[in-house]
Amino acid sequence: MTDPKPDSGAVALDWWRDLRDNRAAAARLRRCHSPLEALLVPQTLTLARRLNRADRPDRLGRVGALAVTLAHVKEHAPGLSVMRAVGATSTKDDDVEGATLSEQRLRRLLLTDGDDESELMSAFVRLVRLMKGTANVADLAHSLLFWSDHTRQRWVFDYYNAGRARPDADPTADLPSASGDSP
């Protein structure tokens, strides 16, 4: 019997906290040019094991991309999704003034192919850099690991501050939890 599927966001957050204490490994990961290269850093394989993905070679590329991306995160920002943090500050139609991420960059990011882990890694690292290293680690991890049309749709709604209007939205999902550690 296999282990139950872990909460990818919580696992990634715990792993990222451990990585912050290992400056050498974090620096090695930040210098990686591909997800495959990241697999040469033992901490990446630790992440794969924690995510129950170590026995699936077809999924290791995403784990490598995630490890490199998280190595660029300097500070965890709980409570807001990644796209809420860089998106529109208003709920008015066509008003993206104040957004850190331009609509053009959002469009380019959403067109990133999920089958090309190197491209996905580069896009997410650019996003973290644009955020000046401050991101919701759990949301970032879940989004990268499960990059799909569903994730893209969620990002669009969150970017335009319309997350509650998403077809599958929980009306309380974008509210910070009492602990402040919600994905």
Side-chain angles (χ1 to χ4, degrees):
M1 186 172 182
T2 60
D3 292 333
K5 195 180 256 185
D7 175 356
S8 59
V11 168
L13 182 58
D14 287 342
W15 179 86
W16 173 79
R17 286 178 175 145
D18 292 343
L19 183 67
R20 288 187 339 173
D21 295 333
N22 188 336
R23 292 174 51 190
R28 283 185 65 196
L29 285 166
R30 283 191 299 273
R31 289 191 301 270
C32 289
H33 297 287
S34 72
L36 178 61
E37 190 179 347
L39 294 175
L40 297 172
V41 180
Q43 286 74 13
T44 304
L45 298 178
T46 299
L47 177 60
R49 280 191 297 277
R50 289 182 186 180
L51 290 167
N52 288 340
R53 289 176 172 238
D55 61 342
R56 298 282 311 268
D58 59 320
R59 294 184 179 178
L60 288 176
R62 290 274 176 110
V63 175
L66 177 60
V68 171
T69 300
L70 293 183
H72 285 84
V73 176
K74 298 173 187 170
E75 186 176 335
H76 173 53
L80 278 182
S81 71
V82 171
M83 281 296 109
R84 278 302 320 119
V86 297
T89 56
S90 170
T91 55
K92 295 178 184 172
D93 291 341
D94 299 327
D95 184 8
V96 292
E97 197 164 317
T100 305
L101 182 71
S102 70
E103 285 182 306
Q104 182 179 358
R105 286 185 182 206
L106 171 67
R107 202 171 293 117
R108 200 172 341 150
L109 179 60
L110 294 175
L111 292 174
T112 302
D113 183 9
D115 293 331
D116 184 345
E117 282 95 4
S118 289
E119 181 184 354
L120 193 60
M121 179 187 85
S122 296
F124 273 70
V125 167
R126 276 192 306 272
L127 179 61
V128 169
R129 286 180 177 155
L130 183 69
M131 298 172 75
K132 295 181 173 69
T134 300
N136 182 324
V137 171
D139 183 49
L140 189 67
H142 185 80
S143 297
L144 192 151
L145 289 172
F146 301 102
W147 188 247
S148 63
D149 287 343
H150 181 266
T151 302
R152 290 175 179 100
Q153 179 187 32
R154 179 175 61 86
W155 275 29
V156 168
F157 276 91
D158 286 353
Y159 178 83
Y160 288 105
N161 199 11
R164 292 180 186 195
R166 257 190 354 250
D168 63 343
D170 171 1
T172 62
D174 58 350
L175 300 176
S177 69
S179 68
D181 259 351
S182 68

